[in-house]
């Protein structure tokens, strides 16, 4: 072996190379495959970073840093040290869209010097992947025990070029439950993240475009970040404040969440990135065997259709008899759980205004918790608990321990939580009005997960703080809402238009799983007006199980609507919720998507395809199938004449034998889609 090959060998096998170099005025680092480069420098008393991809600028110099109460904005004058590191490892998810995840990254940590007490020295670590980067601040020099308040975060993202953005106005009273609009990125005022951009002014070299998505990872004990537009395409971090206007309250040394940028040539590349999970800490739950993905039904849609009520009375939905009826249905068709809403006392009257009246341990008299959970056990079906807090978190936290202990004692392993209250009106223990995702609610969110974990309970949060990949650290955070879900198709005015579910995979879903609750077969549910009923074909309702990833998926419709369509129902019975691997095969934001997923530990494949309001014929090569094997493709597609406006229920099922060398034509109706199971034959 020559010295050269020896050195090369050493470089390839060394898992981590760390060294501190004499800091230069400008420090740069590249991702492992040299795709992404970041450079950091100071200029005019400010610290900046800039990002390029394959040598072309993506983010122009963008500001870095924090300001604190009690001192002026610091002048950041120099990089005093730079440290580099690299790592290539694989880790396994207990459940997920992909079982084994590769974490291949390079790190650049710079120490910066400023002219104020708290900004005298702080570090910024950039973690570079080939599909994007994350960076975070570490204020390690703050003395232990010293209370500080962050009053501004200077972090900017200044994309080079012209972009379109998919977004909705942040700070709305309905939190994250809004329809997305597509505008020139310069029109973004204040947007929730993930905020996804598509470049509009560059030639598509080699077929590739440029797609960016800005978000954060590992949001712990810090306010949630929105992005404020400057009218020229630049974006700046905007943190949800405390009632007194401060942003984050910290004590002693602290590290912020990661600010993340996904960068890809296709929209699908963003969806298939695992950067978000890689930037979270490994599981804090040692034994995760009790955390179970699965499918569930529930006493739920009937309330949204106003066939029954959450509150007590003659139409009460959460009765022992009704729950047993759903449990029978679940057992017969292989579902793991039955969600029951309205089981606990506090729903009568204006429950949103009177959230502090909710009990999380006392059932209504016509709901016999013990009899129901015993019945479930005899059938192999679990009761899924429901804790609607109406945003009265003080009341909820006071009961949290007792509630989770009770659920554990009766075998409830999963609880859906809810925070139906206008954002900005959640009351804390001091009577302060809190945003739905400021530091106060971020703390609350994690507290619920921690207490639940001690009692072997998993959480599915509705009206949640947005996902930032914390499911890696707390795998009992199974799923959450955090966007307009199916419920809007019951009562929304307007309901979700077809393009909504082809925007979500490239925006909200980049954050993590969503409890969208697919599977409404009676799309029309007696409503004449399009804007008041589901705007999709039946095939779409099947495809959503594959396209919108969640480890727990609801079959949301009424049992009788499933029994009326055994042809379509078969797909829901067959589709799993836990995957070996997942791939976005085609897609354009707001237009169409094709996703394939392979069941965990299995050989079959499942495919989901969706279009917007435009009929679309896509040809999908089946190269993801194992070569040399034959599969039976069980295809559920829009039937003749299907149209989400006039004929939503037309569905056709076709079976044919295919191999990896074949292509599948996906002929989708307006507002339509397709779902396919590829069952391996040999
Ligand atoms: C809103 C949730 O998204 C929905 O699923 C639930 O039924 C209601 N809140 C009542 O808790
Ligand atoms: Ca909701």
């Amino acid at each position: 072996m020559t010295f050269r090959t020896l050195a090369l060998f050493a470089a390839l096998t060394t898992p981590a190379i760390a060294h501190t170099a004499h800091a230069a005025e400008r420090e740069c680092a590249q991702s492992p495959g040299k795709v992404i480069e970041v450079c950091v420098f100071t200029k005019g008393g400010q610290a900046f970073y800039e990002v390029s991809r394959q040598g072309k600028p993506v983010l122009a110099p963008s500001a870095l840093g924090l300001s604190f109460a009690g001192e002026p904005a610091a002048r950041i004058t120099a990089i005093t040290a730079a440290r580099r590191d690299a790592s290539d490892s694989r880790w396994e998810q207990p459940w997920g869209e992909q079982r084994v995840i590769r974490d291949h990254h390079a790190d650049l940590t710079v120490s910066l010097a400023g002219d104020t007490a708290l900004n005298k020295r702080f570090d910024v670590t950039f973690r570079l992947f080939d599909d994007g980067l994350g960076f975070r601040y570490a204020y390690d020099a703050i003395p232990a025990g010293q209370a500080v308040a962050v009053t501004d975060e200077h972090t900017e993202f200044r994309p080079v070029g012209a972009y379109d953005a998919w977004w909705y106005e942040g700070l709305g009273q309905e939190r994250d439950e809004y329809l997305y609009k597509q505008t020139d990125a310069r029109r973004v005022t204040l947007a929730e993240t993930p905020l996804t951009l598509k470049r509009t002014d560059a030639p598509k070299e080699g077929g590739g475009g440029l797609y960016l998505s800005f978000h954060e990872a590992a949001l712990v004990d810090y306010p949630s970040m929105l992005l404020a537009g400057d009218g020229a395409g630049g974006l700046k971090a905007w943190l949800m404040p405390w009632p007194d206007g401060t942003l984050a309250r910290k004590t002693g040394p602290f590290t912020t969440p990661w600010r993340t940028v996904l960068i890809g040539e296709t929209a699908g590349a963003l969806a298939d990135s695992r950067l978000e999970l890689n930037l979270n800490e490994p599981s804090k739950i040692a034994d995760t065997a009790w955390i179970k993905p699965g499918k569930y039904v529930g006493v739920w849609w009937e309330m949204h259709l106003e066939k029954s009520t959450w509150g007590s009375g003659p139409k009460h939905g959460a009765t022992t008899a009704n729950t047993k009826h759903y449990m029978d249905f679940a057992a017969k068709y292989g579902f793991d759980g039955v969600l029951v809403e309205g089981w606990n006392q506090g729903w009568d009257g204006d429950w949103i205004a009177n959230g502090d009246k909710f009990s999380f341990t006392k059932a209504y008299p016509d709901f016999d918790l013990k009899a129901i959970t015993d019945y479930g056990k005899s059938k192999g079906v679990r009761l899924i608990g429901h804790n609607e807090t109406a945003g009265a978190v003080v009341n909820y936290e006071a009961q949290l321990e007792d509630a989770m202990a009770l659920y554990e004692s009766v075998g409830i392993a999963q609880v859906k939580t809810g925070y139906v209250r206008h954002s900005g009106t959640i009351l804390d223990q001091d009577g302060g009005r809190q945003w739905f995702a400021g530091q106060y609610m971020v703390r609350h969110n994690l507290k619920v997960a921690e207490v639940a974990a001690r009692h072997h309970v998993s959480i599915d949060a509705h009206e949640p703080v947005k996902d930032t990949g914390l499911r890696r650290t707390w795998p009992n955070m199974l799923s959450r809402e955090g966007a307009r879900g199916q419920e809007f198709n019951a009562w929304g005015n307007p309901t979700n238009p077809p393009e909504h579910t082809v925007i979500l995979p490239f925006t909200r879903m980049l954050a993590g799983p969503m409890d969208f609750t697919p599977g409404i077969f009676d799309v029309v549910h007696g409503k004449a007006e399009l804007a008041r009923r589901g705007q999709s074909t039946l095939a779409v309702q099947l495809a959503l199980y594959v396209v919108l990833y969640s480890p727990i998926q609801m079959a949301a419709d009424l049992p009788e609507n499933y029994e009326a369509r055994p042809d379509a129902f078969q797909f829901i019975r067959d589709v799993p919720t836990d995957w070996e691997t997942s791939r976005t095969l085609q897609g354009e934001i707001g237009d169409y998507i094709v996703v394939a997923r392979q069941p965990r530990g299995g050989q079959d494949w499942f495919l989901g395809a969706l279009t917007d309001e435009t009929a679309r014929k896509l040809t999908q090569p089946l190269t993801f199938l194992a070569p040399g094997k034959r599969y039976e493709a069980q295809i559920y597609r829009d039937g003749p004449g299907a149209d989400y406006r006039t004929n939503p229920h037309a569905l056709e099922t076709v079976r044919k034998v295919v191999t990896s060398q074949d292509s599948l034509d996906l002929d989708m109706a307006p507002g339509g889609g397709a779902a396919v199971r590829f069952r391996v034959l040999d």
Side-chain angles (χ1 to χ4, degrees):
M1 217 181 247
T2 63
F3 177 74
R4 221 185 109 101
T5 47
L6 241 180
L8 187 69
F9 183 73
L12 284 173
T13 52
T14 307
I17 331 141
H19 67 264
T20 306
H22 178 73
E25 278 176 12
R26 181 180 168 87
E27 292 288 346
C28 300
Q30 292 186 327
S31 66
K34 307 205 179 310
V35 181
I36 309 284
E37 184 176 58
V38 70
C39 291
V40 193
F41 59 93
T42 60
K43 194 179 169 188
Q46 180 66 268
F48 296 94
Y49 73 105
E50 61 185 341
V51 176
S52 61
R53 182 177 189 278
Q54 287 174 338
K56 298 197 186 92
V58 173
L59 298 183
S62 304
L64 294 166
L66 305 179
S67 286
F68 296 91
E71 59 175 43
R75 282 180 57 79
I76 310 299
T77 48
I79 300 175
T80 55
R83 223 158 10 95
R84 289 176 166 75
D85 210 338
S87 164
D88 188 3
S89 62
R90 286 182 162 76
W91 58 279
E92 185 168 335
Q93 299 205 79
W95 49 265
E97 69 279 58
Q98 185 176 326
R99 188 172 60 84
V100 178
I101 291 185
R102 184 178 183 188
D103 178 358
H104 194 192
H105 67 254
D107 280 347
L108 168 66
T109 300
V110 294
S111 297
L112 291 154
D115 67 352
T116 64
L118 295 170
N119 267 306
K120 200 177 171 71
R121 191 188 76 81
F122 65 97
D123 290 349
V124 189
T125 295
F126 292 85
R127 184 156 289 180
L128 299 149
F129 301 81
D130 285 339
D131 59 2
L133 71 150
F135 58 93
R136 67 176 177 187
Y137 304 99
Y139 279 79
D140 293 336
I142 295 178
Q146 182 176 338
V148 300
V150 176
T151 51
D152 197 6
E153 177 167 331
H154 306 293
T155 307
E156 289 176 337
F157 305 93
R158 309 192 71 83
V160 175
Y163 288 85
D164 270 1
W166 283 261
W167 65 291
Y168 50 84
E169 198 75 45
L171 296 187
Q173 62 183 26
E174 303 304 331
R175 306 157 304 272
D176 287 323
E177 299 182 10
Y178 289 95
L179 292 174
Y180 287 82
K181 52 188 170 188
Q182 176 185 356
T183 72
D184 186 312
R186 291 174 300 181
R187 295 198 180 277
V188 170
T189 49
L190 188 62
E192 178 62 285
T193 70
L195 172 62
T196 302
L197 269 51
K198 175 184 177 180
R199 188 152 185 186
T200 52
D201 64 344
K204 287 196 170 189
E205 287 165 34
L210 189 66
Y211 296 78
L212 309 178
S213 190
F214 304 103
H215 188 43
E216 56 185 313
L219 172 56
V220 176
D221 199 18
Y222 205 74
S224 180
M225 178 182 75
L226 304 177
L227 292 173
D230 66 1
L235 301 159
K236 179 180 177 290
W238 195 97
L239 306 182
M240 276 192 194
W242 285 86
D244 67 0
T246 57
L247 306 181
R249 297 175 180 175
K250 305 296 294 185
T251 304
F254 73 94
T255 305
T256 67
W258 295 92
R259 277 67 189 90
T260 62
V261 189
L262 296 180
I263 309 173
E265 290 183 359
T266 61
L270 304 186
D272 290 351
S273 172
R274 307 292 175 240
L275 182 149
E276 191 67 24
L277 285 167
N278 277 330
L279 289 174
N280 275 270
E281 299 296 319
S283 178
K284 287 192 192 289
I285 302 175
D287 173 16
T288 56
W290 55 270
I291 304 169
K292 298 257 193 288
K295 284 178 286 191
Y296 69 104
V297 293
V299 181
W300 181 75
W301 188 243
E302 58 175 69
M303 273 98 99
H304 287 274
L305 293 182
E306 297 178 0
K307 287 183 189 302
S308 65
T309 57
W310 281 272
S312 62
K315 283 174 72 184
H316 189 211
T319 64
T320 304
N322 198 24
T323 306
K324 285 185 175 174
H325 167 64
Y326 275 81
M327 284 182 158
D328 290 343
F329 177 83
K332 185 170 173 192
Y333 295 108
F335 291 90
D336 310 285
V338 174
L339 165 73
V340 183
E341 297 197 356
W343 68 277
N344 58 318
Q345 296 191 17
W347 287 95
D348 298 309
D350 184 350
W351 57 267
I352 300 180
N354 299 314
D356 53 353
K357 301 284 186 303
F358 273 124
S359 166
F360 300 102
T361 52
K362 291 197 190 83
Y364 278 122
D366 53 353
F367 185 87
D368 187 336
L369 181 63
K370 184 77 174 60
I372 285 168
T373 48
D374 284 350
Y375 187 75
K377 277 175 206 153
S378 77
K379 297 245 153 193
V381 174
R382 283 184 192 275
L383 177 69
I384 297 176
H386 184 235
N387 291 172
E388 173 58 65
T389 68
V393 294
V394 177
N395 176 49
Y396 187 38
E397 287 194 9
Q399 299 181 53
L400 196 53
E401 181 63 42
D402 290 350
M404 294 297 166
L406 169 67
Y407 306 153
E408 182 175 29
S409 74
V410 294
I412 292 176
Q414 196 184 309
V415 170
K416 170 176 169 179
T417 58
Y419 296 86
V420 176
R421 189 174 185 88
H422 287 166
S423 180
T425 71
I426 288 176
L427 297 182
D428 62 26
Q429 63 290 342
D430 305 321
R433 288 153 62 96
Q434 298 280 355
W435 295 108
F436 81 102
Q439 187 177 10
Y440 177 82
M441 286 301 286
V442 167
R443 284 177 179 165
H444 169 76
N445 214 46
L446 194 56
K447 178 173 183 173
V448 172
E450 284 176 3
V451 175
R454 270 198 280 109
H455 292 287
H456 303 102
V457 171
S458 297
I459 298 295
D460 167 21
H462 278 233
E463 299 80 40
V465 170
K466 70 187 172 188
D467 201 349
T468 57
L470 278 176
R471 64 191 155 121
R472 179 175 179 188
T473 314
W474 295 97
N476 69 322
M477 288 183 156
L478 277 176
S479 197
R480 62 183 91 193
E481 192 189 41
R484 259 182 165 237
Q486 183 91 268
E487 62 184 10
F488 277 82
N489 297 334
W491 38 257
N493 188 19
T495 49
N496 299 327
E499 69 166 11
H500 184 58
T501 47
V502 276
I503 294 174
L504 288 177
F506 306 109
T507 53
R508 158 68 182 82
M509 301 307 293
L510 302 181
M514 175 177 178
D515 188 35
F516 182 87
T517 71
I520 294 303
F521 279 14
D522 181 9
V523 171
V524 177
H525 57 75
K527 301 265 177 66
E529 232 182 296
L530 189 59
R532 293 196 180 256
R533 50 90 155 170
Q535 301 188 45
S536 78
T537 65
L538 180 50
V540 166
Q541 292 297 320
L542 304 180
L544 291 173
Y545 286 89
V546 183
V547 173
L548 300 181
Y549 169 66
S550 177
I552 47 162
Q553 290 281 26
M554 186 177 204
D557 211 340
L558 310 177
E560 56 266 35
N561 290 337
Y562 290 128
E563 289 188 319
R565 290 302 300 254
D567 56 337
F569 192 38
Q570 189 60 45
F571 185 81
I572 299 182
R573 297 177 65 189
D574 292 340
V575 71
T577 63
D578 196 17
W579 307 98
E580 187 69 25
T581 189
S582 293
R583 281 180 224 164
T584 306
L585 303 171
Q586 305 188 44
E588 219 23 281
I589 310 169
D591 295 338
Y592 64 94
I593 186 165
V594 185
V595 176
R597 302 189 196 271
Q598 182 170 48
R600 186 171 171 123
Q603 295 202 54
D604 289 0
W605 280 85
F606 286 78
L607 178 148
L610 301 173
T611 181
D612 59 2
E613 66 289 342
T614 311
R616 212 177 290 267
K617 188 170 182 169
L618 300 175
T619 300
Q620 179 56 56
L622 302 180
T623 44
F624 54 88
L625 298 176
K629 287 196 186 296
R630 292 182 320 129
Y631 296 79
E632 181 189 56
Q634 304 171 355
I635 304 164
Y636 301 74
R637 64 187 186 203
D638 294 323
D643 187 314
Y644 77 104
R645 291 158 299 196
T646 53
N647 189 12
H649 298 125
L651 180 86
E652 195 170 62
T653 54
V654 181
R655 289 172 186 236
K656 65 179 186 185
V657 175
V658 298
T659 73
S660 63
Q661 301 194 315
D662 293 320
S663 285
L664 195 66
D665 282 338
L666 300 164
D667 209 347
M668 299 185 282
V676 185
R677 176 189 182 188
F678 297 93
R679 195 170 64 82
V680 72
L681 295 174
D682 46 45

